[in-house]
């Protein structure tokens, strides 16, 4: 025999278990339709093109993600290049000396060394990390342009830095 307090506690536990089972069941069902965010990033569009079902699941039930070391390194490289460009606009004779914090990441240091061997390291961009937003088919698409250079002949060059090992660019990302 259960006491009245034990019966009430058992009833609460049963209700909690039923709620958890119902939630898990509902979340395990295929996602039929997911509302897209009001503003779409270039990377979200690339994920939609690569695997729309996985994106729908992620939007329906967002989960924390671990950022790969390569993505962290790519972000650090982009930030370093943007900071270098700012220095060049302030001090044109700045020597682009290696930063102290690069010593801890030889792969990042190699990326920067590669950049320093290009013509871009000696050019002053008209803009870095330029955010743009365009309305496309009723949606706002947001992207970030890594760098924009104006050449002496008046032409413009839009640059998208790549830090992956395969030296490839996704045509969809570049078109966005």
């Amino acid at each position: 025999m259960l006491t009245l307090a034990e019966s009430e506690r058992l009833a609460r536990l049963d209700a909690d278990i039923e709620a958890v089972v119902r939630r898990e069941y509902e979340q395990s069902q295929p996602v039929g339709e997911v509302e897209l965010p009001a503003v779409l990033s270039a990377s979200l569009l690339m994920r939609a093109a690569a695997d729309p079902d996985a994106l729908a699941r992620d939007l329906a039930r967002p989960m924390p993600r671990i950022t790969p070391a390569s993505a962290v390194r790519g972000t650090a490289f982009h930030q370093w290049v943007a900071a270098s460009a700012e220095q060049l606009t302030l001090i044109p004779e700045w020597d682009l000396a290696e930063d102290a914090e690069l010593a801890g990441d030889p792969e990042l240091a190699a990326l920067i060394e590669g950049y320093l061997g290009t013509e871009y390291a000696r050019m002053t961009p008209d803009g870095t990390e330029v955010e743009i937003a365009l309305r496309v088919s009723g949606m706002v698409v947001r992207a970030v342009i890594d760098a924009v250079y104006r050449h002496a002949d008046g032409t413009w060059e839009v640059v998208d830095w790549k830090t992956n090992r395969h030296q490839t660019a996704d045509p969809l990302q570049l078109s966005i």
Side-chain angles (χ1 to χ4, degrees), residues 81-82 84-86 88-89 115 120 123-128 146-150 161:
V81 171
S84 296
E86 287 179 29
L88 283 172
T89 61
Y115 165 79
Y120 300 107
M123 297 170 59
T124 303
D126 280 84
T128 59
D146 294 340
V148 179
Y149 295 90
R150 184 169 186 168
W161 308 119

Side-chain angles (χ1 to χ4, degrees), residues 133-147:
L134 303 167
R135 185 167 296 280
V136 179
S137 298
M139 296 181 289
V140 175
V141 178
R142 187 189 67 77
V144 177
I145 298 172
D146 294 340

Side-chain angles (χ1 to χ4, degrees), residues 10-26:
L10 187 58
R12 284 193 309 272
L13 287 172
D14 284 343
D16 288 347
I17 290 169
E18 184 179 322
V20 168
V21 168
R22 185 174 44 250
R23 184 190 71 214
E24 289 301 316
Y25 173 77
E26 289 169 0

Side-chain angles (χ1 to χ4, degrees), residues 94-138:
W94 186 54
D95 66 1
L96 294 170
E98 183 176 347
D99 292 310
E101 71 265 12
L102 300 180
D105 186 346
E107 290 186 49
L108 177 58
L111 287 170
I112 291 171
E113 184 179 327
Y115 165 79
L116 292 174
T118 69
E119 65 181 288
Y120 300 107
R122 293 172 295 285
M123 297 170 59
T124 303
D126 280 84
T128 59
E129 301 298 313
V130 179
E131 293 189 30
I132 60 168
L134 303 167
R135 185 167 296 280
V136 179
S137 298

Side-chain angles (χ1 to χ4, degrees), residues 25-47:
Y25 173 77
E26 289 169 0
Q27 291 181 344
S28 71
Q29 297 302 303
V31 176
E33 194 172 304
V34 175
E35 192 171 318
L36 289 172
V39 177
L40 305 173
S41 67
S43 37
L44 186 114
L45 287 175
M46 289 173 53
R47 287 179 57 210

Side-chain angles (χ1 to χ4, degrees), residues 54-77:
L55 176 63
R57 285 190 300 274
D58 288 349
L59 290 173
R61 187 174 185 194
M63 298 294 287
R65 293 176 178 255
I66 296 174
T67 305
S70 58
V72 172
R73 185 174 299 110
T75 299
F77 172 77

